Amino acid sequence: MCENNGAGYFVLLDPDKWEVDQLAPMASAAAEAGADAILIGSSMLLHPRFDDSVLAVREAIDIPCLLFPGSTIQLSRHADAVLFLSLVSGRNANYLIGEQVKAAPLIRDLGLESIATGYMLIESGRMTSAEYMSNTRPIPHDKHDIAKATALAAQYLGMQWVYLEAGSGAERAIAPEMIAAVANYVDVPLIAGGGIRTPEQAAQCVAAGASFIVT
């Protein structure tokens, strides 16, 4: 994490939205602009070139390449680590523990570092791909008490990070008030992503207590 900026900055690249030969220059540009890591992953995966996509990104940058998988097919030995996500905001057992059980042996065999992450979908004004694909309801954007309790449960379950996610294409970013409420309630790093489109929005998230920002 860059101490001078007050928080770390991650750039998420979706291999479903870009060709393999486009990902490397985008990742390189992000690294040159000050990103601390590149996340790569998608709610779906429409082509069989995920491993090639990760390799292209890994070879283009000298910052960490982290997997942000939407399913067990989004794993690659070329990454530095994987966010081992559990969708703690939902009640779909498959995304709480089912996919994780299937992925764990693959992650071990690939030699990937695993970062246990409590993943929390926050309502953002529209249905996002993550909400639709996971068949779960997000936490209402103004229900700070639910978000606080959910994040604390993730911490007590031993998760290393908590990720508040408004979703790709969100109409609104997570409110600074919710970020502050959660950040002041847990002791693990807090990631905020989705709907952050300007430096001013990012700065508000950092001021509220986010440890990492994702765009």
Side-chain angles (χ1 to χ4, degrees), residues 28 39 63 66 75 78 80 84 88 90 96 110 113 122-123 127-128 152-153 155 165 172 179 187 190 198 200 205 210:
S28 179
L39 302 182
I63 58 176
L66 310 179
L75 296 173
H78 302 301
D80 295 297
F84 198 65
V88 294
L96 278 168
L110 291 172
E113 178 185 354
I122 309 299
E123 186 270 320
M127 179 175 283
T128 63
L152 188 63
Q155 175 184 316
E165 171 73 281
R172 59 169 171 255
I179 293 174
D187 299 320
L190 182 65
T198 68
E200 291 76 19
C205 294

Side-chain angles (χ1 to χ4, degrees), residues 56-89:
V57 169
R58 174 66 277 167
E59 291 183 338
I61 59 176
D62 57 6
I63 58 176
C65 175
L66 310 179
L67 299 180
F68 180 53
S71 67
T72 54
I73 64 173
Q74 296 179 38
L75 296 173
S76 170
R77 69 178 69 254
H78 302 301
D80 295 297
V82 56
L83 300 192
F84 198 65
L85 303 169
S86 180
L87 185 54
V88 294
S89 62

